[in-house]
């Protein structure tokens, strides 16, 4: 399906291509790069064949458009004519054709739900799916479904109320405060579980429990002050968001429901929500990698959970382009603390700038004070994987180091059972090693931590390990502190590195539960 990242990455001769069992990327013809596509969309050419009209598409109509030169696909209720895009799709024409003439939402979500197809394909938009009235009686009598999308007017409280396992919310007030209480009906929640964004009068609190998202989304009936607090009562699964009234008047209602208010839906079916963050600093870390610090807007509560990533979005020649990045701490020595508002307003990223890349040179061009949009977090690492752990092994290649930063900080600070943390860090040259001196200092300071650098293109002076990830390197490195010790091995790097590493670990008899690979 749609795929934004450059199809030619990694370069043809790169090790990153070796034995990739990952999603295939098909070589594109000359003149069919992402930039060429953006140019075509800006050319004014009629890409839908409808001369700018938008139509309502019935299922029967959609089915008819199932050929390469006449291919319509529905994503979240919107229908696109993707024929003009075929040759530009990095995943190849065949992958797009799998959804020809049908609803491709699930296929799209499986591969890259984060891709900003609305912007990429806006010139290919044919229209919306026509509403079909059929829906089971036990749901809601009057509800109509627009393939994958509820019509705006029917965005009500009903979905959540009818499911007894769904979270619910309530609110109460004093003279000066309004407290919104979310009952998640889950015990394993914390301050990471809720994301709050308040802009103008729109108030949005998204609670993520397991794979579901519960949304409170209202236009507040009265003005509130910029700062608010978020409290979590973990053992009863209750979240309290305490807002400060601007005026001490009594509110008759909390506000008016907005899109998807009080909905409880699988996380994979929710769109990614973005807020604009300001670049506050940018520091060189290596010759090509920088530490970016972004500041969240006021009236935002967002904590990216350990091991998760976000998407950064920038308009590039008029099209919104999105790429994933993993937040880190500002340094290896910032002790892991439960961040609490208002100090937790900064998000740090270690980002490698690829001179021939599409996104990172643009990011590098940003000036202090410029804005970049940051999404809600995503990812499948769960902090409980670290509970009662004794040995933590981290295998990182290049910027695959980024998820390891918070994982190792968290483990060293919060896991009393931990005996050792060992990082094997693969890079081309010594100059490419991110935070080398910090890693060495940490190893000196904390006897539980060890680091080993492996270089693929070392100079003749390098006396350390060299080469690529291999069974020999791994079996020597991955020594348990006891035969029965609880172990976790985390892997992250170029996709083929991660895939080869996984296979080697299975061959070395580590179980699935003992391995976590970071992927998109
Ligand atoms: P791309 O356009 O994708 O190009 C990347 C490379 O391919 C460059 O070397 C470029 O020169 C080469 N290339 C591009 N086109 C061609 C061509 N036609 N021929 C030959 N070579 C070509 N990265 C980080 O730095 N930090 C992170 O924290 C981070 N976290 C991530 C988290 C996740 C979950 C994932 C999946 C990836 C993460 N990445 C991270 C990688 C990041 O998302 C981008 O892939 C990366 O920044 C490259 O983006 P780009 O658009 O600049 O480069
Ligand atoms: P890099 O510098 O190109 O590579 C780092 C090291 O890994 C080099 O020694 C390199 O060797 C080696 N390597 C590359 N491909 C290999 C392979 N197939 N087998 C064995 N060794 C291999 O790395 P980078 O440019 O920083 O890229 C980092 C990658 O990590 C990107 O693909 C990024 O998308 C990914 N990443 C993923 C996440 C996530 O959460 N999923 C987070 C951050 C980064 P040679 O170059 O000498 O071949």
């Amino acid at each position: 399906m749609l795929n934004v990242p450059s199809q030619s990455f990694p370069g043809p001769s790169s090790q990153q291509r070796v034995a990739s069992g990952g999603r295939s990327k098909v070589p594109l013809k000359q003149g069919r790069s992402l930039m060429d596509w953006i140019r075509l969309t800006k050319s004014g050419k009629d890409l839908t064949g409808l001369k700018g009209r938008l139509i309502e598409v019935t299922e029967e109509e959609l089915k008819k458009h199932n050929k390469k030169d006449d291919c319509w696909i529905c994503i979240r209720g919107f229908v696109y004519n993707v024929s003009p895009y075929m040759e530009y799709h990095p995943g190849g024409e065949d992958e797009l054709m799998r959804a020809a003439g049908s609803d491709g939402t699930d296929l799209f979500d499986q591969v890259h739900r984060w891709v900003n197809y609305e912007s990429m394909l806006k010139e290919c938009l044919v229209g919306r799916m026509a509403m079909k009235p059929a829906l089971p009686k036990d749901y809601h009598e009057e509800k109509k479904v627009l393939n994958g999308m509820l019509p705006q007017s029917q965005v009500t409280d009903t979905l959540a109320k009818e499911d007894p396992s769904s979270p619910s919310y309530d609110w109460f007030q004093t003279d000066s405060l309004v407290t919104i209480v979310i009952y998640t009906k889950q015990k394993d929640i914390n301050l990471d579980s809720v994301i709050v964004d308040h802009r103008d009068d729109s108030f949005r609190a998204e609670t993520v429990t397991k794979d579901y998202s519960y949304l409170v989304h209202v236009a507040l009936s009265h003005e509130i002050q910029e700062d608010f607090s978020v409290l979590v009562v973990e053992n009863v699964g209750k979240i309290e968001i305490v807002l400060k009234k601007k005026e001490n008047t009594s509110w008759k209602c909390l506000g008016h429901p907005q899109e998807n208010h009080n909905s409880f839906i699988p996380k994979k079916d929710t769109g990614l929500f973005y807020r604009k963050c300001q670049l506050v600093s940018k520091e060189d870390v290596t010759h090509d990698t920088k530490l970016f610090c972004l500041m969240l807007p006021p009236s935002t509560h967002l904590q990216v959970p350990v091991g998760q990533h976000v998407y950064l979005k920038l308009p590039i020649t008029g099209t919104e382009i999105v790429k994933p990045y993993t937040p880190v701490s500002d340094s290896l020595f910032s002790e892991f603390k439960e961040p609490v508002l208002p100090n937790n307003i900064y998000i740090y990223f270690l980002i490698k700038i690829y001179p021939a890349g599409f996104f990172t040179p643009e990011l590098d061009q940003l000036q202090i004070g410029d804005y970049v949009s940051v999404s809600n977090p995503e990812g499948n690492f769960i902090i409980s994987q670290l509970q009662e752990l004794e040995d933590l092994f981290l295998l990182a290649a290049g910027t695959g180091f980024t998820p390891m930063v918070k994982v190792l900080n968290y483990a060293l600070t919060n896991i009393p059972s931990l005996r050792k943390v060992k990082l094997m860090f693969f890079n081309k040259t010594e100059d490419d090693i991110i935070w080398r001196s910090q890693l060495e200092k940490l190893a000196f300071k904390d006897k539980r931590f060890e680091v080993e650098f492996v270089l693929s293109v070392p100079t003749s002076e390098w006396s350390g390990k060299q080469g690529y990830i291999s069974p020999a390197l791994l079996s020597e490195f991955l020594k348990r502190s006891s035969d029965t010790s609880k172990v976790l091995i985390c892997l992250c790097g170029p996709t083929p590195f991660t895939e080869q590493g996984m296979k080697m670990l299975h061959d070395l008899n580590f179980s699935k539960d003992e391995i976590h690979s970071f992927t998109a």
Side-chain angles (χ1 to χ4, degrees):
M1 293 295 293
L2 308 174
N3 200 356
V4 166
S6 162
Q7 61 286 352
S8 303
F9 177 58
S13 59
S14 162
Q15 273 289 323
Q16 298 196 25
R17 282 201 182 271
V18 177
S20 169
R23 225 165 58 229
S24 57
K25 292 189 181 174
V26 171
L28 298 179
K29 292 183 196 150
Q30 193 74 17
R32 293 294 181 271
S33 68
L34 176 55
M35 188 47 94
D36 294 317
W37 170 249
I38 291 173
R39 263 189 223 116
L40 177 63
T41 62
K42 305 263 175 271
S43 66
K45 201 170 164 195
D46 176 13
L47 297 183
T48 59
L50 293 170
K51 301 195 174 79
R53 268 183 315 128
L54 289 179
I55 58 172
E56 283 224 328
V57 183
T58 60
E59 267 183 38
E60 292 68 42
E61 183 65 30
L62 178 64
K63 275 186 203 153
K64 288 184 203 158
H65 301 269
N66 60 0
K67 292 167 224 62
K68 269 190 188 159
D69 59 354
D70 177 20
C71 179
W72 291 10
I73 293 178
C74 167
I75 306 176
R76 285 188 236 297
F78 288 91
V79 178
Y80 298 90
N81 177 351
V82 296
S83 293
Y85 182 65
M86 286 279 172
E87 293 194 334
Y88 298 81
H89 181 231
E93 299 182 356
D94 292 347
E95 211 186 326
L96 269 185
M97 285 304 293
R98 286 169 66 198
S102 65
D103 189 334
T105 309
D106 286 348
L107 265 175
F108 177 79
D109 283 345
Q110 276 165 28
V111 184
H112 32 223
R113 88 184 183 87
W114 49 274
V115 168
N116 194 4
Y117 64 92
E118 291 101 325
S119 179
M120 289 275 297
L121 292 181
K122 60 177 183 267
E123 297 304 325
C124 299
L125 182 65
V126 169
R128 288 179 80 149
M129 283 303 286
M131 266 207 273
K132 50 178 185 185
L135 210 108
K137 281 223 157 75
D138 55 353
Y139 222 45
H140 191 275
E141 284 290 326
E142 294 147 35
K143 197 162 291 140
K144 291 179 180 171
V145 158
L146 197 63
N147 285 355
M149 189 168 266
L150 285 173
Q152 185 90 11
S153 57
Q154 304 202 6
V155 177
T156 63
D157 290 9
T158 49
L159 269 182
K161 273 184 193 150
E162 286 168 22
D163 180 352
S165 66
S166 140
S168 59
Y169 80 98
D170 202 351
W171 69 284
F172 57 88
Q173 61 184 317
T174 64
D175 281 351
S176 56
L177 304 174
V178 167
T179 301
I180 298 173
V181 188
I182 298 168
Y183 304 96
T184 65
K185 302 181 188 163
Q186 298 280 333
K187 280 193 173 168
D188 50 354
I189 56 151
N190 54 43
L191 281 171
D192 298 353
S193 313
V194 62
I195 300 161
V196 184
D197 289 275
H198 174 237
R199 299 283 161 277
D200 307 320
D201 66 345
S202 162
F203 177 88
R204 196 179 184 285
E206 182 173 349
T207 307
V208 178
T209 57
K210 303 236 161 59
D211 295 332
Y212 275 73
S213 156
Y214 175 70
L215 186 69
V216 172
H217 189 194
V218 288
L220 293 175
S221 60
H222 292 71
E223 284 189 74
I224 56 168
Q225 296 178 33
E226 212 168 62
D227 59 318
F228 55 77
S229 48
V230 180
L231 312 164
V232 170
V233 190
E234 288 182 24
N235 53 352
V236 292
K238 190 168 82 168
I239 296 167
E240 288 185 357
I241 305 162
V242 186
L243 313 175
K244 293 179 188 161
K245 292 180 179 175
K246 250 196 181 150
E247 285 166 21
N248 290 356
T249 48
S250 171
W251 293 18
K252 290 206 171 57
C253 66
L254 182 63
H256 305 289
Q258 300 289 291
E259 193 178 10
N260 288 334
H261 171 59
N262 205 17
S263 62
F264 183 51
I265 45 182
K267 195 162 179 252
K268 68 177 179 53
D269 296 340
T270 64
L272 276 176
F273 185 78
Y274 287 84
R275 72 278 305 144
K276 283 192 172 158
C277 295
Q278 208 169 16
L279 178 66
V280 290
S281 67
K282 184 171 65 168
E283 281 167 30
D284 289 341
V285 173
T286 68
H287 63 101
D288 59 6
T289 301
K290 299 189 180 185
L291 181 68
F292 289 80
C293 176
L294 301 181
M295 185 170 67
L296 288 166
S299 303
T300 303
H301 168 87
L302 166 64
Q303 294 183 177
V304 180
V306 172
Q308 296 205 7
H309 55 270
V310 295
Y311 295 93
L312 300 186
K313 183 165 79 176
L314 277 178
I316 300 181
T317 56
T319 298
E320 289 186 323
I321 303 294
V322 173
K323 292 262 167 142
Y325 294 94
T326 315
V328 295
S329 346
D330 57 344
S331 82
L332 278 183
F333 299 100
S334 42
E335 292 272 290
F336 193 95
K337 297 181 206 96
E338 276 293 293
V340 187
L341 282 173
N343 302 326
N344 182 37
I345 56 171
Y346 300 113
I347 310 186
Y348 294 88
F349 296 93
L350 282 165
I351 297 182
K352 176 165 169 178
I353 310 299
Y354 296 88
F358 194 72
F359 191 80
T360 49
E362 293 288 328
L363 202 59
D364 198 27
Q365 289 293 311
L366 293 180
Q367 303 297 311
I368 304 303
D370 285 349
Y371 287 89
V372 54
S373 297
V374 177
S375 79
N376 285 3
E378 294 260 293
N380 52 12
F381 185 84
I382 313 167
I383 205 87
S384 59
Q385 289 173 265
L386 297 173
Q387 290 315 320
E388 289 161 30
L389 201 68
E390 290 166 88
D391 300 329
L392 175 61
F393 297 105
L394 308 171
L395 306 172
T399 56
F401 171 62
T402 52
M404 309 306 179
V405 171
K406 284 197 183 186
V407 169
L408 83 84
N409 255 339
Y410 184 90
L412 287 172
T413 319
N414 291 276
I415 307 295
S417 53
L418 196 74
R419 294 191 195 183
K420 65 178 176 201
V421 181
K422 285 177 76 178
L423 167 68
M424 187 170 260
F425 196 179
F426 297 84
N427 284 282
K428 287 190 182 67
T429 68
E430 283 182 78
D431 291 346
D432 295 318
I433 303 174
I434 298 170
W435 283 355
R436 177 179 179 177
S437 69
Q438 289 196 38
L439 286 163
E440 286 170 339
K441 268 190 210 142
L442 184 64
F444 182 74
K445 228 178 95 183
D446 192 324
K447 292 295 160 224
R448 294 170 301 169
F449 179 66
E450 286 172 38
V451 58
E452 181 132 45
F453 302 112
V454 183
L455 301 184
S456 53
V457 195
T459 58
S460 51
E461 286 95 66
W462 177 250
S463 58
K465 291 228 157 36
Q466 43 185 289
Y468 297 101
I469 190 166
S470 69
L473 269 182
L474 293 185
S475 57
E476 188 196 326
F477 182 70
L478 301 169
K479 295 265 186 296
R480 293 171 185 266
S481 48
S482 78
D483 287 351
T484 55
S485 60
K486 190 175 173 208
V487 171
L488 182 70
I489 306 167
C490 296
L491 278 129
C492 190
T495 307
F497 164 92
T498 309
E499 285 171 353
Q500 287 170 36
M502 293 279 281
K503 185 167 179 312
M504 290 171 201
L505 294 173
H506 288 305
D507 292 347
L508 288 169
N509 288 327
F510 288 98
S511 70
K512 262 190 176 167
D513 292 347
E514 291 176 326
I515 305 170
H516 181 89
S517 66
F518 291 93
T519 49

